[in-house]
Amino acid sequence: MSFAQTTQNVKGTVLDNQSEIPLIGATIELLGTDNGTVTDVDGYFRLENVPVGRQSFRVSYLGYNAITLPNMEVRAGKELLLDITLEES
């Protein structure tokens, strides 16, 4: 028996828009759920168990303008890679 994969991982980096320095501790949230994560010392994040389909994410960091990434397509066969830049507020 085989089962269809219903979740996938989303990974990537969050950087400062101008300097391209990694933002340590930036928050990435899957909207409509309590699923979220924060970036590590390299600005890298990995969000697990994201349902397959179109999903929206919110990225925020203290002192920066938060952004929403709407309608990102999460596919069963491949992790979604997001390279995100934030602007200082």
Side-chain angles (χ1 to χ4, degrees):
M1 280 180 134
S2 68
F3 294 94
Q5 186 176 0
T6 58
T7 64
Q8 186 54 271
N9 299 323
V10 176
K11 63 182 181 178
T13 57
V14 180
L15 306 174
D16 177 275
N17 188 38
Q18 286 189 320
S19 67
E20 296 188 1
I21 292 174
L23 298 179
I24 303 165
T27 303
I28 299 87
E29 303 170 81
L30 175 60
L31 294 181
T33 71
D34 59 359
N35 193 359
T37 191
V38 295
T39 56
D40 66 11
V41 296
D42 297 317
Y44 178 81
F45 70 90
R46 181 181 175 96
L47 186 59
E48 298 180 345
N49 299 316
V50 176
V52 170
R54 296 221 175 254
Q55 303 295 340
S56 296
F57 302 91
R58 181 171 175 81
V59 183
S60 58
Y61 188 70
L62 187 62
Y64 285 74
N65 296 321
I67 62 169
T68 300
L69 305 170
N71 297 314
M72 303 301 295
E73 188 172 358
V74 179
R75 297 181 180 175
K78 186 177 181 184
E79 290 182 326
L80 177 61
L81 179 61
L82 299 176
D83 291 317
I84 302 161
T85 58
L86 295 180
E87 289 184 12
E88 282 189 76
S89 57

